[in-house]
Amino acid sequence: MLILVTEYLFKFLVIGSAGTGKSSLLNNFIGNKFKEDRCHTIGVEFGSKIVNIGGKSTKLQIWDTAGQERFRSVTRSYYRGAAGALLVYDITSRDSFNTLSNWLRDARTLASPNIIILLVGNKKDMEESREVTFTEASQFAQENELMFLETSAKTGENVEEAFLKCSKTILAKIETGELDPERIGSGIQYGTGTSKRLSAPKKPARMTPECACRV
Amino acid sequence: MIKFWKSADKGKSGCPVRPPEPSTSSNKINNKTLLDTQLDDVEDEVHIFEKKSKLCLSLHDILIEKKSIKYFIQFMESIDKYLPVKCWLEMENFKKLLLNTNYTDKFDSHVKISRTKSYDFQCKCDEMVEKNITQKNMLRDKIGNKLSGTSDLRKFNSSSSSCMNLTETNTILDSCSECGVNNKSNITEIAIDIFKKYVAQEAPFTLDLPDSYRKSVISNICHPEGVIKEDCFKPVQDIIFNEIENNYFKDFISSPFYIKAQIDILTNGSLNLKDILYNDTLLFYYTEFLEQESCRHLLEFLMAVMHFRDNLTDGNPCQPDQVQADAIILYDKYFSLQATSPIGFPQYIRLKIESDICIEDGPHHTCFDLPYRIVFKTLSRYVKTFLDSELYYKYLSEMIHSVDQIWSSNNRSQSDCSSEFSISTQNTLLAMGDPVFRKKKRNHSVPDMTIDSNQLYNADALWQRKKNDGLTLGRVNSLGRFESKFEPDPDKKDKSVLKKMVSRFVPSVTSKVEEEMAWQIAHMIVKDVTDLTMAPPENE
């Protein structure tokens, strides 16, 4: 029987302008195939994955939000209490890069101020139509204290790394005490990965030794 | 429109309105059990779409609807800013008193009174219904109400040793109780008292009001016709309200008092789906819960429909094409026979959605309302299980923990004495992944059996443990006799603590018959042994 024990659960956001490939990134990460003609997201789509970071298994609850401007007011209401976020732009679209600071401001003010954000330049595979250079973007990232990666949801390059890098930073901050998982709204829960059904049979086995040393 | 037919054409049959196909809807049948399509108790549609969680309190909720007001008052006292709240509440009480007095002619006024005095006021409504009651008596009752209301506030006053002047409160109360005779002059007096206290230039509790406000209140009170309107303090109330909202409310939200207020709401058992949906923190937990129950797509659906609706009702200029495109995305994802995350709606709903999407000038914002209500109702059922779940329990204990934490960090003394070391009661790592195990903690009849890792590694903690934690095997009673917990007093009816514990770990198949058998076997064994040992030696 598969027993999933996770130590932490993080709330994760994927934000950025429409058409930058947020849903594709998520889908690639959780193991779905890349679809060339994806329709835009309405509302929020969830994904979750258990990753192993430095020996600690951590579950990510990923909120893939709609990028379209007209849904902006609603999607903003989901920012609160997120522990981490991928801020996505499209390297072939200058516009998507230009709006980054708006997204960033929203995330910093609406989600927790300690939110860990990783800047993602997606569609790395379309080098021929690149509009935003790597240097330019990494400079933006540096100025705004973001981590930065260029990814391709199509080839899968750096996709997992992006999520892992962000999670790693969150975990490091928990360990140094900078983030307090027990603070309400931190976007972090202690291990819950196991569902009730999975863990129930474990009960007798672990209770006996514990009572023996107590009585 | 054409777009929709095209997308529908992608389906196998090529015909958007398809005849029932039992074979293709196999995955729908799996999900069907989840859905409750019988909307017998037609819930108020407006309520379903209202975006309001009880857990998110606004200042309006607190002051005007008197929700969790005690925590807010406590908070304001803790930062020594109780005065504006007190002033506001007194003015509000005055307004209500006046409103009620204006109704004295009508005997049905008790309804109004009981409604307006919605917080903790002991209304003697039944007595008031009596027909012979005089106006005087009614007024007295109301002043009594006012008295009890303000004395409630006084309790908060005295709880913190803040500088509130109790005698001051008394004077105004005395002044109201003395004059129950002349209704009008009494009210004027109260108004003047309030004015003197807070608004006047030389007021003891100055609120730093601009002169213009003072003047407008004066002209409101000194009405030429001698009638005081109930909203005579409104300008002051408004300015106080805004001041509180702008200067203090944010701090309140991040204070332990607010968390306490939320804990109250979380534990009073009135939580519904809306309260969860519009509270981000709780939604985080609920989402996880729904994933464990494998119906997270229902939540996704609700959110998507909400987006769809909002987009149309927010007054954004919408192209019908765009709206239709959105609707088709939702259709393809949740309704179509090839849906990527099918919810399992019955066919008549699918057909209805198909025709609603295809109407001219694009679908209406109500296009998905029926399925929304169905899913809403279904998810509401999950709320009940969620409230009993381990996750919810964990959320609650995290809330309580953070109150404790903020509290202790605020009140921590300077000494680093080891008794300050707090032992975590929620050892999340040990209990991790074993929700059932943690649940046992709530069962207080049996002592907590968990071992805290902190205790293991911190030798000091051993000496700080409470004595009555079930480590003893017995006790010495008042006569100096040792009473074992293994063999407790036979007169006692309930099982000993130890027995209870043991019975928890030993598989409990304690049917009467088996117990009887066990006794008999035990008897036989004892008899055999005594027969052997006690029998006189045979060959001597």
Side-chain angles (χ1 to χ4, degrees):
Chain A
M1 181 188 226
L2 180 69
I3 294 172
L4 307 161
V5 180
T6 57
E7 285 187 45
Y8 293 109
L9 173 70
F10 295 160
K11 178 173 169 180
F12 234 86
L13 291 174
V14 187
I15 54 175
S17 299
T20 51
K22 295 180 292 299
S23 301
S24 299
L25 276 173
L26 173 63
N27 274 304
N28 184 293
F29 180 59
I30 59 177
N32 291 352
K33 273 202 201 117
F34 179 77
K35 265 169 55 187
E36 202 66 63
D37 57 337
R38 275 194 68 90
C39 35
H40 62 263
T41 307
I42 298 174
V44 171
E45 283 172 17
F46 294 107
S48 69
K49 188 169 177 172
I50 297 175
V51 291
N52 193 313
I53 307 158
K56 288 201 163 72
S57 82
T58 302
K59 184 171 177 182
L60 308 182
Q61 185 189 95
I62 305 161
W63 294 51
D64 168 30
T65 61
Q68 306 235 331
E69 193 57 40
R70 59 204 167 97
F71 293 128
R72 187 86 167 262
S73 63
V74 200
T75 41
R76 279 157 58 133
S77 63
Y78 301 126
Y79 283 19
R80 273 195 55 190
L86 298 191
L87 173 57
V88 187
Y89 73 94
D90 174 358
I91 64 156
T92 68
S93 150
R94 166 68 48 186
D95 284 347
S96 75
F97 183 75
N98 290 342
T99 52
L100 281 179
S101 45
N102 285 339
W103 288 102
L104 192 61
R105 196 184 46 234
D106 274 3
R108 288 249 161 91
T109 49
L110 298 168
S112 99
N114 306 324
I115 185 171
I116 311 291
I117 304 172
L118 187 132
L119 182 66
V120 174
N122 195 26
K123 309 198 185 174
K124 195 171 184 270
D125 51 293
M126 295 164 74
E127 195 57 55
E128 66 283 0
S129 37
R130 180 191 277 274
E131 285 184 10
V132 184
T133 63
F134 183 87
T135 350
E136 192 181 0
S138 54
Q139 197 184 344
F140 176 86
Q142 213 163 28
E143 281 164 9
N144 294 284
E145 296 173 329
L146 306 169
M147 293 172 289
F148 174 54
L149 274 178
E150 278 192 348
T151 63
S152 162
K154 193 175 182 180
T155 64
E157 188 181 349
N158 273 346
V159 174
E160 196 167 14
E161 283 78 357
F163 284 95
L164 285 182
K165 199 171 175 184
C166 203
S167 315
K168 226 180 265 177
T169 318
I170 298 172
L171 211 63
K173 290 218 172 185
I174 292 174
E175 270 157 21
T176 58
E178 243 179 285
L179 278 176
D180 178 12
E182 297 196 27
R183 196 178 55 80
I184 291 302
S186 63
I188 303 162
Q189 287 176 32
Y190 277 121
T192 48
T194 36
S195 74
K196 274 162 280 173
R197 264 157 278 129
L198 288 174
S199 55
K202 268 167 67 191
K203 187 182 67 177
R206 61 179 303 158
M207 285 180 89
T208 328
E210 274 174 14
C211 83
C213 39
R214 221 26 215 277
V215 178
Chain B
M1 175 98 91
I2 298 158
K3 218 173 165 189
F4 176 68
W5 297 123
K6 262 197 217 155
S7 91
D9 270 348
K10 284 182 195 161
K12 282 179 207 158
S13 62
C15 147
V17 183
R18 296 172 193 90
E21 292 167 274
S23 55
T24 42
S25 56
S26 61
N27 53 352
K28 294 175 89 178
I29 289 163
N30 289 339
N31 286 328
K32 217 168 212 167
T33 45
L34 293 172
L35 284 184
D36 196 350
T37 46
Q38 300 290 313
L39 288 170
D40 31 73
D41 53 334
V42 183
E43 281 185 70
D44 200 351
E45 290 201 23
V46 187
H47 280 217
I48 274 194
F49 292 105
E50 185 194 44
K51 295 183 168 182
K52 173 83 185 139
S53 167
K54 273 201 286 289
L55 287 166
C56 305
L57 295 163
S58 67
L59 189 57
H60 184 276
D61 294 333
I62 292 173
L63 284 181
I64 293 164
E65 289 171 36
K66 312 283 188 235
K67 286 177 186 160
S68 307
I69 191 167
K70 62 174 182 176
Y71 293 110
F72 186 64
I73 290 176
Q74 282 172 11
F75 165 76
M76 292 300 272
E77 278 180 348
S78 73
I79 57 166
D80 273 350
K81 295 286 180 214
Y82 177 50
L83 186 64
V85 186
K86 184 170 174 273
C87 170
W88 194 93
L89 287 173
E90 261 179 51
M91 288 173 179
E92 188 73 3
N93 281 351
F94 171 78
K95 190 167 101 188
K96 283 177 180 159
L97 180 76
L98 196 58
L99 276 175
N100 293 336
T101 333
N102 294 342
Y103 286 115
T104 40
D105 297 338
K106 300 164 196 161
F107 278 112
D108 60 350
S109 64
H110 68 281
V111 184
K112 290 261 174 5
I113 293 167
S114 57
R115 201 186 56 208
T116 49
K117 301 273 175 194
S118 53
Y119 78 108
D120 286 345
F121 283 6
Q122 295 266 318
C123 297
K124 294 171 180 166
C125 310
D126 296 334
E127 288 169 34
M128 285 198 213
V129 191
E130 283 178 41
K131 288 209 166 179
N132 298 335
I133 196 160
T134 62
Q135 195 172 320
K136 200 166 123 190
N137 277 342
M138 278 189 81
L139 194 68
R140 199 168 280 159
D141 263 348
K142 266 169 251 139
I143 288 165
N145 287 343
K146 189 177 156 50
L147 271 169
S148 69
T150 350
S151 67
D152 262 356
L153 301 182
R154 250 189 301 163
K155 255 183 260 159
F156 292 119
N157 258 344
S158 51
S159 70
S160 81
S161 56
S162 68
C163 55
M164 284 324 302
N165 193 342
L166 290 185
T167 51
E168 188 61 33
T169 330
N170 284 334
T171 49
I172 186 171
L173 296 177
D174 291 341
S175 74
C176 358
S177 51
E178 274 164 18
C179 46
V181 194
N182 191 328
N183 160 5
K184 286 218 174 82
S185 71
N186 171 48
I187 279 172
T188 318
E189 260 176 63
I190 298 176
I192 291 171
D193 266 325
I194 295 178
F195 177 84
K196 273 191 199 156
K197 215 162 117 187
Y198 301 108
V199 190
Q201 205 125 36
E202 63 279 9
F205 306 109
T206 177
L207 292 164
D208 290 331
L209 293 170
D211 261 350
S212 57
Y213 286 92
R214 195 167 293 129
K215 276 176 195 148
S216 74
V217 173
I218 293 175
S219 66
N220 281 346
I221 295 180
C222 309
H223 213 266
E225 289 149 35
V227 192
I228 298 183
K229 270 191 262 163
E230 71 273 0
D231 55 356
C232 63
F233 289 114
K234 196 172 181 298
V236 181
Q237 272 195 304
D238 287 348
I239 199 175
I240 294 175
F241 191 93
N242 285 336
E243 195 195 303
I244 297 177
E245 183 142 57
N246 297 334
N247 298 342
Y248 310 116
F249 197 67
K250 224 175 154 189
D251 292 338
F252 172 64
I253 298 283
S254 49
S255 77
F257 295 101
Y258 186 69
I259 304 179
K260 271 180 144 185
Q262 285 189 319
I263 293 173
D264 267 12
I265 300 166
L266 288 169
T267 48
N268 73 6
S270 66
L271 227 56
N272 60 34
L273 184 58
K274 262 191 318 180
D275 298 328
I276 298 172
L277 287 182
Y278 301 109
N279 180 281
D280 312 275
T281 339
L282 194 49
L283 184 59
F284 177 34
Y285 284 76
Y286 190 58
T287 310
E288 180 60 20
F289 170 77
L290 288 181
E291 192 184 355
Q292 289 177 11
E293 302 287 327
S294 26
C295 46
R296 205 178 51 189
H297 61 295
L298 295 180
L299 182 65
E300 251 174 39
F301 175 75
L302 278 197
M303 287 176 159
V305 173
M306 204 46 144
H307 270 60
F308 177 81
R309 253 183 144 262
D310 283 354
N311 186 38
L312 289 175
T313 49
D314 274 359
N316 300 339
C318 282
Q319 305 296 321
D321 283 359
Q322 198 180 48
V323 177
Q324 198 173 53
D326 286 352
I328 290 169
I329 289 175
L330 291 184
Y331 174 84
D332 282 343
K333 191 165 177 201
Y334 301 106
F335 295 91
S336 134
L337 290 175
Q338 286 80 35
T340 45
S341 41
I343 288 183
F345 290 114
Q347 190 185 356
Y348 75 92
I349 289 184
R350 197 183 76 236
L351 297 181
K352 185 180 178 305
I353 298 294
E354 282 173 1
S355 63
D356 279 355
I357 291 176
C358 297
I359 54 172
E360 252 171 85
D361 5 293
H364 295 300
H365 71 277
T366 53
C367 178
F368 297 103
D369 279 10
L370 177 64
Y372 183 92
R373 280 167 56 203
I374 293 171
V375 172
F376 191 93
K377 201 180 162 203
T378 311
L379 278 182
S380 291
R381 277 202 325 232
Y382 278 100
V383 171
K384 289 188 194 90
T385 21
F386 173 62
L387 295 184
D388 290 332
S389 75
E390 207 46 49
L391 268 167
Y392 184 70
Y393 175 60
K394 186 183 293 198
Y395 175 64
L396 261 184
S397 53
E398 229 157 82
M399 291 283 262
I400 294 165
H401 180 85
S402 46
V403 172
D404 290 347
Q405 213 175 27
I406 303 171
W407 226 256
S408 62
S409 67
N410 286 347
N411 301 335
R412 184 160 293 159
S413 64
Q414 291 305 308
S415 82
D416 55 350
C417 151
S418 65
S419 64
E420 290 258 326
F421 186 80
S422 70
I423 296 166
S424 156
T425 48
Q426 327 163 25
N427 180 5
T428 35
L429 290 179
L430 248 190
M432 185 190 59
D434 200 344
V436 186
F437 177 66
R438 291 194 69 198
K439 206 172 204 162
K440 294 278 192 231
K441 281 179 144 185
R442 271 181 283 182
N443 181 357
H444 289 300
S445 63
V446 173
D448 187 4
M449 298 290 287
T450 48
I451 295 172
D452 198 300
S453 61
N454 271 331
Q455 287 180 328
L456 294 179
Y457 301 120
N458 177 14
D460 227 19
L462 183 64
W463 311 107
Q464 288 157 15
R465 267 198 265 199
K466 275 190 244 155
K467 273 191 179 153
N468 53 349
D469 60 352
L471 268 177
T472 51
L473 297 179
R475 64 184 197 94
V476 178
N477 70 9
S478 54
L479 297 171
R481 211 175 69 187
F482 180 75
E483 276 180 356
S484 166
K485 281 202 174 173
F486 288 104
E487 293 171 335
D489 200 341
D491 298 337
K492 264 195 195 161
K493 264 197 168 174
D494 37 300
K495 287 180 177 177
S496 75
V497 184
L498 202 91
K499 244 190 185 167
K500 270 191 211 165
M501 253 187 236
V502 170
S503 67
R504 275 177 64 201
F505 304 116
V506 175
S508 55
V509 271
T510 48
S511 75
K512 282 276 171 199
V513 189
E514 280 181 62
E515 211 178 308
E516 200 81 334
M517 289 249 285
W519 273 113
Q520 279 178 10
I521 292 168
H523 234 258
M524 275 161 58
I525 294 170
V526 173
K527 199 164 169 272
D528 278 352
V529 173
T530 44
D531 277 355
L532 276 175
T533 52
M534 307 284 275
E538 273 168 35
N539 37 353
E540 207 175 47

